[in-house]
Amino acid sequence: MGNVPVYSLESERDRYWAGYPKIVQEMVTGIFNAPAETPVEVRQAVEAYTARLAGGHRQDLPLPAGWEDYLQKMGLYAYKVVDEDIEELKAQGNSESAIYELSIAAALGAGLARMERVLMLLDEDEEA
Amino acid sequence: MRIKVIEQGMEGRSKLIARVSRLMFGFTVGPLFLSIYRRDYFGTAFGRLSQSTLRENTFWSRGEVEMFASFVSNLNHCRF
């Protein structure tokens, strides 16, 4: 895959994801383009945040207020998420649909960053 | 815990699949549930990626890939 670029919203997004396997592109397309309650900018910011937590290269984009603690758990140790975390988000006025959408976006970032890291190491190994 | 909109938001065939899962196992199986809810957003792509990763590997055997997935799931405190 070569060096992982830092991508920005909209203008570079399609070119960035074009380097990924088609099946991964389908997943990214769904999460960023399918009808959703949350704005696409928010989903991208969430994906970027958890990707960076997992060592990925993404821009530092503004997160929605009140989500950082939950997203940090999602990005680093999702198994620590408990009912109270969800109840806290709902108490802040977030709908369950929004919680679902941003949780998936968070999982995408965390998972892709791990995949990117392995692919970078494989590239370095081939060049050595 | 399942957020209610997911349990109640299934329609048509997805709802039927979820009900059968609950009858058979007492709960909606996680990966199955993820692949049938909000198919356009995540479900369909997730199902295809899962199948591709677990079944279409050309180097590792199917059993080996399932073991890798099981091992990592265990590290993530996930029963699957």
Side-chain angles (χ1 to χ4, degrees):
Chain A
M1 287 212 33
N3 292 325
V4 178
V6 177
Y7 82 106
S8 62
L9 287 172
E10 299 299 334
S11 59
E12 294 180 14
R13 190 180 67 193
D14 291 341
R15 188 167 72 239
Y16 175 80
W17 295 114
Y20 283 74
K22 283 268 180 261
I23 204 160
V24 174
Q25 288 185 46
E26 285 179 26
M27 181 173 291
V28 170
T29 298
I31 291 170
F32 289 155
N33 293 339
E37 183 177 304
T38 53
V40 65
E41 295 80 11
V42 172
R43 281 174 269 146
Q44 288 179 326
V46 166
E47 187 275 341
Y49 178 71
T50 54
R52 291 202 322 277
L53 285 177
H57 298 282
R58 302 284 195 279
Q59 283 197 337
D60 188 2
L61 303 170
L63 289 176
W67 280 83
E68 189 164 344
D69 289 346
Y70 174 73
L71 293 174
Q72 189 168 61
K73 276 191 180 181
M74 285 291 293
L76 295 174
Y77 23 73
Y79 58 87
K80 291 187 179 180
V81 173
V82 293
D83 293 359
E84 287 74 20
D85 296 314
I86 305 301
E87 293 304 323
E88 172 65 28
L89 290 172
K90 288 161 71 173
Q92 291 173 15
N94 296 291
S95 69
E96 289 191 338
S97 291
I99 294 170
Y100 167 79
E101 290 168 8
L102 297 189
S103 297
I104 295 296
L108 176 72
L112 285 180
R114 287 165 172 83
M115 181 188 78
E116 289 160 7
R117 181 65 184 155
V118 169
L119 293 175
M120 283 172 60
L121 290 172
L122 289 173
D123 275 352
E124 289 171 5
D125 192 50
E126 282 177 6
E127 289 166 9
Chain B
M1 174 213 182
R2 298 273 190 241
I3 52 180
K4 291 187 184 61
V5 72
I6 294 174
E7 291 284 351
Q8 296 163 2
M10 301 259 197
E11 292 177 347
R13 204 178 91 178
S14 298
K15 195 170 187 176
L16 178 62
I17 294 170
R19 279 191 179 166
V20 170
S21 173
R22 282 194 289 270
L23 277 171
M24 290 177 65
F25 304 106
F27 58 92
T28 310
V29 177
L32 171 67
F33 158 89
L34 279 174
S35 66
I36 64 176
Y37 178 69
R38 295 275 300 267
R39 290 177 187 266
D40 57 347
Y41 185 79
F42 180 67
T44 298
F46 172 72
R48 291 191 53 195
L49 182 62
S50 299
Q51 288 298 312
S52 174
T53 304
L54 292 174
R55 313 278 181 244
E56 297 172 14
N57 203 285
T58 56
F59 182 82
W60 302 102
S61 71
R62 182 168 158 172
E64 286 167 331
V65 175
E66 292 270 7
M67 191 172 64
F68 298 151
S70 176
F71 178 73
V72 175
S73 286
N74 189 51
L75 291 177
N76 287 323
H77 297 235
C78 175
R79 79 172 102 178
F80 297 106

